Amino acid sequence: MHRVGSAGSNGGSVRTRKEKKLTYVLNDANDTKHCAGINCLDVLKSSVSSDQSYLFTGSRDGTLKRWAFDEDATFCSATFESHVDWVNDAALAGESTLVSCSSDTTVKTWDGLSDGVCTRTLRQHSDYVTCLAVAAKNSNVVASGGLGGEVFIWDIEAALSPVTKPNDTMEDSSSNGGSNGLGNSQPVTSLRTVGSSNNISVQSSPSHGYTPTVAKGHKESVYALAMNDTGTMLVSGGTEKVLRVWDPRTGSKSMKLRGHTDNVRVLLLDSTGRFCLSGSSDSMIRLWDLGQQRCLHTYAVHTDSVWALACSPSFSHVYSGGRDQCLYLTDLGTRESVLLCTKEHPIQQLALQDDSIWVATTDSSVERWPAEVQSPQKVFQRGGSFLAGNLSFNRARVSLEGLNPPPAYKEPSIVVPGTHPIVQHEILNNKRQILTKDAAGSVKLWDITRGIVVEDYGKISFEEKKEELFEMVSIPSWFTVDTRLGCLSLHLETPQCFSAEMYSADLKVSGRPEDDKINLARETLKGLLGHWLAKKKHKPKPQALASGDILSVKDTKKNPAASKSEDSSTANDPVYPPFEFPSVSPPSIITEGSQGGPWRKKITEFTGTEDEKDFPLWCLDAVLNNRLPPRENTKLSFFLHPCEGSNVQVVTLGKLSAPRILRVHKVTNYVVEKMVLDNPLDSLAIDGASVSGGPQQLFAGNGLLQSGSKPWQKLRPSIEILCNNQVLSPEMSLATVRAYIWKKPEDLILNYRVAIAR
C-alpha cells in the first residue's frame, strides 16, 4: 500500500498493431468422437490396393475423422486436425487424397490413409470456403467456392509438387506428424523449406509459381459446386439463385440458368456432365438439361430447404434431405417419391455406400440407413409412395393436412455416435471454472487451468446449479470463451490475459512464500506448453538454417525471446499441479506466429522445434523469460478512516493504493501497526525487502508482517474493518469488497474500529 501521487502518467503508449491471440480448445474425455454437427462426409471404397472401406466426416468442431468398419460396427481410426474453424466440406480426390475446406478460409489436402498428416494448406480465399467439387476420373482437378463469390479450380498435382509457389498461396500446413511439428512430411514449397535441423526458414517466392484458375462471375456467395467425371464442366450456385456453368480448364463461363426462387444449396452432375440436379432453399429439386440449357422437371418433395442430394449410379433416382429433417427417395422419371426415414436434426449431407446411405446432420452423430441403392424399386414396393408435385405449396399443404406416409425404415443399420455439443456456459466468479450445459441437458463443471471436468452433475437445472456455485469473489476477466466448435475454446490476448493474479496459498501451491503471487495466464501457458518445453530442452543446441549454416552468436542475439537462457529459466520454473493439463484427450492450441497463418495442434504433439514463427512472441516471452507486459488495474485505490464516533487514532490522511488481491486482514495488520508503533516503517519487512523512501511508501506489495518477529504484537488491539457499515471478512480481497460491498465507481472507503466484543 502506498499513497497515490497527485499527478502521474502510464506513458500513454499506443500499440500500433494487434497482437496475435492464443486459443486453447478443451476436448471431452473421448476425443475420438465429434462434438459438433457433421457438415460433410465421403466414402473411400475398397480398391485393389486396399480391401478396407472408410468413411470420412468433417465437423463444426474443426476436425475431420476417418472411420473404419468392423462387421456392423465402426471405430475412429484417425483424426485430421489442422483447421481452426468449422470444416464445411470434404471430398476424396484419387485413391487417398482427402481435400477439405473451412470457415478459416483455407483449403487443405491430407493423406487420407495416414494418421492425420496434412500435406498442404492452400490460402487463396478471402472468406469462408463453403464447398468443394472433384472430378471422379481426373483426380488432379478440385474446385473450391466460398463467400464473396470466389471460385477457384486447383490442379492438385501441381499444387502439391515441390516447385516454387507464389507467396501466401501455398504453404505447408500446421498438421500432425509434420517435419517441424507444424509442417508436413511431404515435399514442401520454397515458401517454407525444411533444412537439416528440421527448422523452417522462409525464402522469397517469385511470382511465376502456381496459382489456381479463377472462375470470375459470381457477385455473391457460392454455396454449391459440382463437376463431371472428367473435370471439363463445373456448375456453381449460391445466393444469386442461379446456376452458372463453367469450363474449369479456363475459368470461362458458358451459361447461366434461372429457375430457383431462393439460394441454391446443393448440386449434382451426372458422369457425362449433361444432366444436373439442384436443391434450393425454395424447397424444390430441379433437373436440368445442360445441353438444352433448360429445366426439365421440378420436384416438390420437401417442405423446407433442400440441403443434401445423392444420386443412384444411373442418375435415375435421387436421395434428398434438408431442413425438414426428412430423407426422401424420388424416381426422376416417374416422379414417384417415398419417405425413407425421418431424423431429429436437419440433414446436411449424404453419401452412398453399397446398398446403404450415410446421413450427416447438425447433430454430432452419423447414421447409415438401408437405401437399396442398386435396385431402388425395392423401396417403392414397400408402399407409402406418392407423386412429387411441381409446385412447392402443394407439398406443404399435404404436410399440413397430416397426409405424410410413414417412413420406410424406422431404425438405422449403423450409428456412429458423437458427444453432445455445449449449448450454454457460465464463467464462475473465481475465473478458473466454467459451468456448461450440453445439447442433451447434461451439466458439467470445468476447471479451465487444468482442462478437465471436475464434476459431472448429470441432467439438472443449469440456473439452479449456477446460483449454488456463486462465490462472492472478484477476479479480473483474463480470458474470453466461446462454444462455436461445440466445446470450450478459451482465448488469451495480451496484455489483458495477464491481469489476474492469485496467492500461491489460495491455489494450494506448496513451497512458496505466503505472499507469493501467481499469474493465472502465465501458469496456464506453462501448462499448455509443458510438452513443448520438455522436448525443447532435449534438442541439440546449434540451430541450423535451411542452407545448413549454423546460427552464429550474433544471429542468436537477434532473437532474445528464443535464445535467452531457457534451461535455467524453465528448469526452476515447474508446472504447478493446478495448471497440469491431461495427456489423454489433451487440449489443442490454435494460434499463429510471424509466418504461415493460423494453425491447430494437440499440446502433446509438439516437436520442440517450434519457435516465434509458430507462436506469438508475447507467449514465448512469458513462458521462457517470465517477462509479462505492463498491466493495468492491478492496484486499487482507497481511503482508510476511523469509524464515525470511534475514538481510535487517525492512522493516515491520504489515499492509499494496494494490490487488488490484498486481503482485508492485511489492512487490519497495517492499522494495528500504525496504532501501536510510533514509527512502524523503519524496518518493516514487506515482500522480503526492506522498505525505503520514508512516509511516501506506506504499504508496498502485500505488506506481510512477519509473525512473531515484533514485540508490539503482544499488545495488539483487536481491530475490525468495515465498508458501508458492514464488517468485512478478513479473507475478502479489496477487489471483492469494492465489487460486492462498496458498489460505487468512486474510490473505495474503508473504516476501522476496535472490535466490539460479542
Side-chain angles (χ1 to χ4, degrees):
M1 233 182 307
H2 60 83
R3 291 193 194 281
V4 176
S6 58
S9 169
N10 61 4
S13 59
V14 178
R15 286 201 317 241
T16 56
R17 63 185 177 89
K18 185 173 174 61
E19 295 281 1
K20 296 179 173 71
K21 68 181 177 183
L22 182 139
T23 297
Y24 63 103
V25 182
L26 300 185
N27 295 308
D28 207 316
N30 189 351
D31 59 359
T32 61
K33 298 178 181 179
H34 284 300
C35 64
I38 310 298
N39 280 344
C40 52
L41 40 74
D42 204 353
V43 174
L44 179 63
K45 298 178 175 63
S46 56
S47 62
V48 177
S49 58
S50 172
D51 58 358
Q52 176 73 64
S53 295
Y54 293 106
L55 172 71
F56 291 89
T57 54
S59 169
R60 294 178 179 182
D61 64 16
T63 70
L64 298 106
K65 293 186 185 294
R66 183 183 68 224
W67 306 89
F69 311 107
D70 183 9
E71 295 179 356
D72 284 338
T74 58
F75 60 93
C76 178
S77 59
T79 295
F80 301 81
E81 185 173 9
S82 180
H83 283 298
V84 301
D85 206 338
W86 289 10
V87 177
N88 294 322
D89 203 2
L92 286 156
E95 286 193 6
S96 63
T97 299
L98 179 66
V99 187
S100 62
C101 67
S102 166
S103 296
D104 64 12
T105 76
T106 69
V107 175
K108 290 181 183 283
T109 60
W110 315 76
D111 179 351
L113 299 180
S114 70
D115 290 335
V117 175
C118 181
T119 50
R120 186 67 79 246
T121 296
L122 312 176
R123 301 183 188 275
Q124 190 77 27
H125 286 269
S126 62
D127 208 332
Y128 291 5
V129 193
T130 54
C131 51
L132 297 169
V134 297
K137 294 180 180 176
N138 187 348
S139 58
N140 282 342
V141 183
V142 175
S144 60
L147 305 191
E150 296 173 323
V151 176
F152 298 112
I153 300 101
W154 305 86
D155 181 331
I156 290 298
E157 187 174 303
L160 294 181
S161 63
V163 297
T164 302
K165 307 295 189 300
N167 198 29
D168 203 33
T169 300
M170 317 291 303
E171 65 180 48
D172 51 349
S173 74
S174 51
S175 71
N176 301 342
S179 304
N180 74 311
L182 300 175
N184 57 62
S185 57
Q186 304 297 315
V188 296
T189 70
S190 68
L191 179 64
R192 284 181 149 201
T193 52
V194 176
S196 57
S197 69
N198 290 335
N199 286 337
I200 303 171
S201 73
V202 177
Q203 298 179 355
S204 60
S205 298
S207 59
H208 61 266
Y210 173 79
T211 51
T213 302
V214 183
K216 289 183 179 177
H218 276 284
K219 300 178 181 66
E220 298 177 22
S221 297
V222 177
Y223 284 154
L225 293 172
M227 207 179 317
N228 66 339
D229 280 7
T230 56
T232 58
M233 182 177 289
L234 175 70
V235 185
S236 62
T239 56
E240 295 171 78
K241 308 170 191 173
V242 300
L243 275 65
R244 297 181 189 271
V245 184
W246 316 81
D247 183 340
R249 295 163 294 188
T250 61
S252 58
K253 184 169 58 179
S254 54
M255 70 184 85
K256 182 162 67 174
L257 302 171
R258 302 181 185 276
H260 283 295
T261 59
D262 208 336
N263 300 341
V264 177
R265 296 300 305 262
V266 58
L267 294 165
L268 280 182
L269 268 178
D270 76 334
S271 57
T272 66
R274 177 176 177 182
F275 296 106
C276 177
L277 277 167
S278 60
S280 166
S281 296
D282 62 13
S283 79
M284 304 297 288
I285 299 170
R286 287 179 177 266
L287 176 63
W288 308 81
D289 186 324
L290 300 185
Q292 299 180 20
Q293 299 191 24
R294 69 186 184 95
C295 178
L296 297 178
H297 297 289
T298 57
Y299 305 88
V301 177
H302 293 269
T303 59
D304 208 334
S305 300
V306 180
W307 290 350
L309 297 174
C311 228
S312 62
S314 60
F315 218 73
S316 60
H317 294 75
V318 65
Y319 299 85
S320 59
R323 199 172 188 170
D324 61 6
Q325 307 177 8
C326 295
L327 176 62
Y328 289 98
L329 170 63
T330 303
D331 186 320
L332 295 175
T334 66
R335 309 181 66 85
E336 189 178 9
S337 289
V338 64
L339 178 63
L340 273 180
C341 66
T342 57
K343 303 281 292 173
E344 295 180 359
H345 303 273
I347 295 172
Q348 302 261 59
Q349 210 170 78
L350 305 168
L352 300 175
Q353 183 189 22
D354 302 327
D355 255 358
S356 301
I357 187 167
W358 287 99
V359 182
T361 70
T362 54
D363 183 39
S364 56
S365 60
V366 187
E367 294 177 352
R368 189 169 81 175
W369 290 79
E372 300 292 352
V373 177
Q374 306 305 322
S375 48
Q377 286 306 121
K378 291 182 181 178
V379 181
F380 293 103
Q381 291 167 9
R382 300 170 70 100
S385 63
F386 61 93
L387 282 181
N390 55 12
L391 295 172
S392 60
F393 65 82
N394 287 343
R395 183 75 191 116
R397 190 179 66 224
V398 169
S399 175
L400 290 171
E401 291 169 358
L403 301 179
N404 264 344
Y409 301 103
K410 297 285 194 294
E411 297 292 334
S413 53
I414 294 179
V415 177
V416 180
T419 56
H420 297 290
I422 294 171
V423 295
Q424 193 175 0
H425 68 276
E426 183 76 21
I427 302 172
L428 301 191
N429 284 350
N430 60 27
K431 300 297 192 294
R432 290 184 297 120
Q433 293 179 321
I434 296 180
L435 191 68
T436 64
K437 177 182 177 181
D438 66 24
S442 182
V443 177
K444 295 178 180 178
L445 183 64
W446 291 79
D447 183 332
I448 63 151
T449 63
R450 289 191 292 158
I452 59 171
V453 174
V454 290
E455 197 75 51
D456 186 343
Y457 300 107
K459 295 181 180 180
I460 62 168
S461 167
F462 181 83
E463 295 300 325
E464 288 179 9
K465 178 54 68 174
K466 184 174 77 173
E467 291 178 17
E468 180 187 323
L469 293 173
F470 173 80
E471 289 180 88
M472 193 186 289
V473 59
S474 177
I475 293 175
S477 295
W478 58 280
F479 61 88
T480 55
V481 62
D482 70 58
T483 56
R484 175 176 169 81
L485 301 179
C487 45
L488 291 176
S489 295
L490 290 306
H491 310 289
L492 304 181
E493 296 186 71
T494 186
Q496 301 92 320
C497 68
F498 295 110
S499 61
E501 296 177 325
M502 289 184 67
Y503 289 121
S504 303
D506 294 336
L507 291 167
K508 297 181 171 55
V509 174
S510 58
R512 309 277 293 188
E514 183 187 350
D515 265 26
D516 178 64
K517 294 194 290 281
I518 282 181
N519 188 285
L520 296 184
R522 180 180 184 256
E523 298 307 318
T524 300
L525 287 170
K526 278 170 48 187
L528 289 168
L529 299 182
H531 292 273
W532 172 74
L533 282 168
K535 291 178 180 176
K536 187 176 180 65
K537 286 179 194 174
H538 294 99
K539 290 291 172 187
K541 287 292 178 274
Q543 300 178 43
L545 298 171
S547 60
D549 298 333
I550 301 297
L551 281 177
S552 66
V553 175
K554 187 168 69 173
D555 293 327
T556 309
K557 287 179 180 175
K558 293 177 184 175
N559 181 11
S563 61
K564 205 166 178 177
S565 177
E566 291 153 11
D567 285 345
S568 59
S569 63
T570 54
N572 302 319
D573 198 7
V575 174
Y576 302 121
F579 302 92
E580 289 178 345
F581 288 87
S583 295
V584 179
S585 297
S588 302
I589 283 181
I590 296 175
T591 191
E592 62 178 308
S594 59
Q595 298 163 16
W599 51 266
R600 171 174 171 168
K601 196 175 187 66
K602 281 192 166 44
I603 63 170
T604 51
E605 292 172 357
F606 292 123
T607 62
T609 59
E610 301 85 3
D611 54 22
E612 75 278 1
K613 293 193 293 293
D614 309 301
F615 291 115
L617 203 54
W618 63 264
C619 173
L620 296 180
D621 233 7
V623 172
L624 297 177
N625 307 323
N626 194 16
R627 193 157 54 208
L628 307 185
R631 284 153 288 157
E632 299 176 1
N633 303 324
T634 58
K635 296 284 183 77
L636 187 150
S637 299
F638 65 98
F639 292 96
L640 189 57
H641 300 318
C643 284
E644 193 173 338
S646 171
N647 58 0
V648 294
Q649 71 186 72
V650 176
V651 297
T652 181
L653 295 173
K655 189 191 296 186
L656 299 174
S657 177
R660 291 172 50 87
I661 62 174
L662 190 81
R663 303 289 189 201
V664 167
H665 73 80
K666 298 296 179 65
V667 181
T668 305
N669 284 354
Y670 172 74
V671 173
V672 171
E673 188 173 348
K674 288 285 286 181
M675 291 173 64
V676 174
L677 294 181
D678 293 328
N679 187 10
L681 299 170
D682 289 342
S683 59
L684 182 58
I686 298 168
D687 276 358
S690 180
V691 173
S692 61
Q696 293 301 313
Q697 183 84 13
L698 288 183
F699 206 68
N702 298 325
L704 173 64
L705 302 174
Q706 306 297 319
S707 59
S709 62
K710 304 289 183 184
W712 57 264
Q713 288 185 325
K714 297 174 184 176
L715 307 171
R716 176 189 182 113
S718 182
I719 294 293
E720 55 190 13
I721 307 295
L722 297 84
C723 178
N724 279 347
N725 295 318
Q726 181 176 332
V727 177
L728 303 178
S729 163
E731 294 306 312
M732 269 190 183
S733 69
L734 293 180
T736 301
V737 173
R738 183 185 179 95
Y740 294 100
I741 312 296
W742 180 243
K743 299 180 183 177
K744 298 175 189 175
E746 297 86 16
D747 284 327
L748 175 66
I749 297 177
L750 299 181
N751 302 107
Y752 58 93
R753 69 185 181 195
V754 175
I756 300 171
R758 291 180 175 83

